[in-house]
Amino acid sequence: MSLDVSAWTAPQRGALFVVTGASGTGKTTLVREALANLPGIAWSVSATTRAARKGEVHGEDYLFVSTEAFERKLQKGELLEWAKVYGNYYGTLRKPVEQALARGESILLEIDVQGARQVREAAPEAVLVFVLPPSVESLEARLRGRATDDDATIARRVAEAREQLQGVAEFDYIVVNDVLASAHHRFQAVLVAELQRRHRHPKLVETFAG
Ligand code: 5GP
């Protein structure tokens, strides 16, 4: 029996991570940094019908598709989950997620509460992480601070953010994004710890206890 297990540091069974939080909580910043630091976790590129923002790249940030194309994918059962957010469709393609997991890799979905619930239904073993703002007031101030939005848009965003926050009770982990450096640390600690769980390392268990 070989006892050099250094090749098996990475898990054989990857995790399906779902990260959710109201818009304005800074979850995208946390996710970007984590993925840059943790090469074993892939980013799931969602499909959306919203227009690309400046700097966004098709196929990297999102797959930007027409409403017809999105509805076709929906009808054909190609979406693991989907939601309508701010009047636009968003959804996760089932195939890339299934393929990553089948290869033993981990994948991270940054999606809303409605989507997170659907993933939990379809894949109960998914790991759900909720990013909270330090206070409701700070979140609302951030949403109001976006100079490009009119009053009606801001009011709608605030209402939707409050609704998203209600979903926190259904999540496995909570990370408060107060001090960014500390939040990065806590967020990545969640992901890293999940990847060390015994059931993801059958070769190690087999080697030492088989
Ligand atoms: P944004 O338009 O600002 O990129 O995203 C708006 C909201 O849609 C965010 O809360 C984001 O997490 C959510 N979202 C992005 N992709 C998906 C997806 O594939 N499914 C679901 N359910 N929500 C998504």
Side-chain angles (χ1 to χ4, degrees), residues 19 21-23 27 46-47 50 53 56 62 81-83 85-86 90-92 110-116 118 157 164:
V19 181
S23 81
K27 63 182 186 296
S46 294
R50 86 149 159 74
R53 295 190 188 120
E56 285 184 330
Y62 282 106
E81 62 75 34
W82 66 280
V85 185
Y86 306 136
Y90 293 82
T92 303
E110 188 196 313
I111 62 176
D112 81 329
V113 167
Q114 306 167 66
Q118 294 167 51
R157 280 184 176 261
Q164 292 282 307

Side-chain angles (χ1 to χ4, degrees), residues 74-90:
L74 195 55
Q75 277 157 17
K76 291 198 321 211
E78 291 176 13
L79 300 178
L80 174 63
E81 62 75 34
W82 66 280
K84 215 166 191 180
V85 185
Y86 306 136
N88 288 307
Y89 282 122
Y90 293 82

Side-chain angles (χ1 to χ4, degrees), residues 1 204-210:
M1 175 173 77
L204 292 178
V205 175
E206 169 75 10
T207 300
F208 291 96

